Amino acid sequence: MQIQISGQHIQVTPALRERVEQQIGRFERLFDNITGLDVVLSVDKAEHKAGGTLHCSGTRLHAEGHARLQDGTISDRMYAAIDEMVTKLADQLKKHKEKLKDHHNAEGREARAAVE
């Protein structure tokens, strides 16, 4: 999987890069056909944001995580935004995988085909 991490008004430190790479290990367990991930970390006045676009076979999933000034200490706001973004992307990936799954009973179809 190709990972691209960039920052707007923030320097992407090795610790932030490691946090993103550590969190996205969840995606590889959920779905096999992931081709890439683009992450944009940004800082506004009182808000840290993490936006991610997950490229899968047949679709792109996008989610954003926000952490505001009152949500916690200053040092862990970006980590909270990354965690929120990863959680949202994981939920979307589970839903996408569920849509691709065939929910019909294969045994019932085979039995009906044999009778006809």
Side-chain angles (χ1 to χ4, degrees):
M1 172 175 25
Q2 181 182 1
I3 303 167
Q4 180 178 351
I5 302 171
S6 59
Q8 291 180 340
H9 308 291
I10 187 173
Q11 180 72 26
V12 179
T13 63
L16 288 174
R17 183 175 300 278
E18 181 181 330
R19 178 67 168 240
V20 171
E21 291 173 354
Q22 175 187 3
Q23 292 290 326
I24 61 170
R26 297 169 53 182
F27 300 148
E28 294 172 344
R29 290 192 307 262
L30 290 173
F31 197 66
D32 295 333
N33 297 330
I34 298 174
T35 57
L37 174 67
D38 299 328
V39 178
V40 178
L41 307 175
S42 63
V43 176
D44 290 335
K45 289 183 181 179
E47 186 174 44
H48 289 218
K49 298 178 185 177
T53 303
L54 191 64
H55 302 276
C56 301
S57 61
T59 190
R60 284 186 293 191
L61 306 174
H62 180 77
E64 291 193 10
H66 302 277
R68 290 171 183 77
L69 184 60
Q70 68 270 15
D71 289 346
T73 62
I74 292 174
S75 62
D76 66 347
R77 285 188 292 165
M78 185 55 78
Y79 294 120
I82 291 170
D83 292 344
E84 183 180 343
M85 175 204 60
V86 168
T87 302
K88 287 181 179 180
L89 279 174
D91 291 342
Q92 288 182 18
L93 191 59
K94 287 177 189 174
K95 186 174 181 180
H96 175 68
K97 184 178 178 181
E98 190 70 22
K99 285 181 180 181
L100 295 178
K101 184 178 177 184
D102 185 16
H103 294 284
H104 301 288
N105 188 356
E107 295 172 1
R109 280 189 299 205
E110 291 172 1
R112 284 192 301 267
V115 170
E116 295 173 355

